[in-house]
């Protein structure tokens, strides 16, 4: 879990803005899920606990996904909502733009 920084000081202001708009909350009420688990052999390694921790601290979860394979569909099926796409500075030139997603409250 990583803090979402205000767009004025963020290294990736477009992602911060998308997440803020998607949740309707300021950056200090958001947290980025910074590690993504999609393979069955990594189940039980703390994703659910991380989301519970966010809820306990009243932080709204956010993530970004490179839309290759089935990752975006997996997140959609589990309640995540797409709020836009952007091209972060760290993204390789031949990769598609990342999809910014939020998990609405109560999901």
């Amino acid at each position: 879990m990583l803090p979402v920084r205000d767009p004025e000081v963020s290294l990736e202001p477009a992602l911060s803005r998308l997440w803020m708009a998607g949740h309707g909350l300021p950056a200090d009420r958001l947290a980025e899920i910074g590690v993504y688990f999609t393979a069955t052999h990594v189940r039980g390694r703390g994703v659910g606990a991380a989301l519970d921790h966010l809820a306990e601290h009243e932080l709204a979860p956010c993530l970004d996904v490179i839309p290759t394979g089935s990752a975006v569909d997996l997140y959609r099926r589990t309640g995540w909502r797409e709020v836009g796409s952007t091209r972060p500075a760290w993204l390789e030139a031949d990769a598609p733009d990342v999809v910014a997603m939020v998990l609405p409250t109560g999901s």
Side-chain angles (χ1 to χ4, degrees):
M1 172 176 71
L2 305 168
V4 173
R5 299 184 74 186
D6 186 278
E8 297 299 318
V9 296
S10 175
L11 296 176
E12 298 298 342
L15 276 171
S16 294
R17 285 187 194 96
L18 287 169
W19 291 330
M20 289 168 60
H23 274 299
L25 295 169
D28 65 354
R29 298 276 315 279
L30 309 177
E32 177 184 7
I33 305 298
V35 179
Y36 318 111
F37 299 92
T38 57
T40 56
H41 71 278
V42 294
R43 287 186 182 158
R45 301 240 180 135
V47 173
L51 293 175
D52 288 343
H53 181 73
L54 292 176
E56 289 170 12
H57 290 67
E58 298 181 6
L59 297 175
C62 310
L63 57 78
D64 58 273
V65 182
I66 298 174
T68 57
S70 60
V72 172
D73 289 336
L74 171 70
Y75 287 117
R76 284 183 187 133
R77 283 193 309 272
T78 58
W80 291 83
R81 188 170 52 88
E82 189 173 333
V83 294
S85 61
T86 188
R87 186 150 204 89
W90 53 262
L91 194 62
E92 293 187 24
D94 61 343
D97 291 357
V98 300
V99 175
M101 302 185 88
V102 298
L103 185 61
T105 304
S107 291

